[in-house]
Amino acid sequence: MSIPLRRVLVFASFILFFFSSCSQDNVQNVYSKYRAFFNYTKVLTAHPLYTAVTGTGSYCTISAQATTLYFQSPTESYQDNLTDADFYKQIIWIGGLIVGRSNVPDMTTGDLPLLCFDRACPNCYKEDDITKPLTLKENGEAYCTRCKRTYDLNNLGIIKTGDNGVKLFRYMVIYNGSSTLVVNNI
């Protein structure tokens, strides 16, 4: 009687192993393997960013040129001039950032998570080493004009329309509730 039970256990173990194993190519970590760092202490003055971190379902892009930071939502924009020293110690990213609070609750906590993604299209970057910035849409989507993929920001950056590929590069982000936003993926 122990032999059939043993066979059943071996067979069940094999089935469990078969269905639970995944190829490393099909697995994408929650957070990106790429480095990112951004520390901004004037969230209250950058209205598109403040709206994105305190509201739900609204997002803001952050980009830089020379020593100017640009904050842009689909409806408003703001720019902040930094000193050279401030600029160089604050920014590490691929193509900018997209920051906002999801309108879809986290399944484990029930909270509406604050999210941060790289603004570079991950599929154009991985396939062709092109840093193509995504365009922010009003409905919590980001669109790549090059590969024609649309990403759902409220659903952790997965592809909503377009060819299969990887989801957006996600970074760890903290907002202290008043004036400071820190993105840190180092």
Side-chain angles (χ1 to χ4, degrees):
M1 189 159 184
S2 66
I3 293 174
L5 179 60
R6 187 175 189 180
R7 285 184 185 168
V8 168
L9 289 174
V10 168
F11 181 72
S13 298
F14 173 78
I15 295 297
L16 183 63
F17 174 77
F18 179 78
F19 285 108
S20 66
S21 64
C22 295
S23 127
Q24 196 66 335
D25 295 337
N26 295 332
V27 176
Q28 188 176 354
N29 291 329
V30 172
Y31 296 104
S32 174
K33 67 179 180 178
Y34 297 105
R35 294 181 62 198
F37 184 78
F38 179 69
N39 182 3
Y40 191 68
T41 58
K42 299 184 270 183
V43 173
L44 295 172
T45 61
H47 196 261
L49 180 60
Y50 180 75
T51 301
V53 298
T54 58
T56 58
S58 60
Y59 292 86
C60 172
T61 62
I62 304 170
S63 59
Q65 207 169 41
T67 57
T68 304
L69 287 173
Y70 296 93
F71 302 88
Q72 190 163 4
S73 73
T75 58
E76 61 184 332
S77 62
Y78 175 80
Q79 65 184 36
D80 187 11
N81 295 317
L82 302 174
T83 66
D84 288 338
D86 287 339
F87 181 81
Y88 288 110
K89 73 179 181 184
Q90 289 189 25
I91 300 173
I92 301 171
W93 58 44
I94 298 170
L97 300 173
I98 300 173
V99 177
R101 190 167 301 279
S102 175
N103 61 10
V104 177
D106 182 284
M107 293 180 69
T108 57
T109 64
D111 295 334
L112 298 172
L114 180 61
L115 302 171
C116 180
F117 305 103
D118 203 288
R119 190 174 171 208
C121 175
N123 292 288
C124 291
Y125 187 74
K126 288 185 94 161
E127 294 167 9
D128 300 318
D129 272 344
I130 294 175
T131 308
K132 183 66 179 169
L134 298 167
T135 303
L136 201 56
K137 304 286 184 180
E138 278 191 40
N139 54 355
E141 296 176 349
Y143 178 72
C144 178
T145 57
R146 182 177 180 271
C147 69
K148 309 295 185 216
R149 288 180 178 95
T150 301
Y151 299 90
D152 187 349
L153 300 173
N154 289 307
N155 201 5
L156 304 177
I158 64 169
I159 296 172
K160 187 172 184 178
T161 62
D163 294 340
N164 289 335
V166 297
K167 63 184 179 178
L168 294 176
F169 298 139
R170 183 176 171 192
Y171 300 134
M172 290 179 249
V173 60
I174 297 170
Y175 173 57
N176 73 353
S178 61
S179 63
T180 302
L181 178 84
V182 177
V183 176
N184 189 1
N185 215 51
I186 298 176

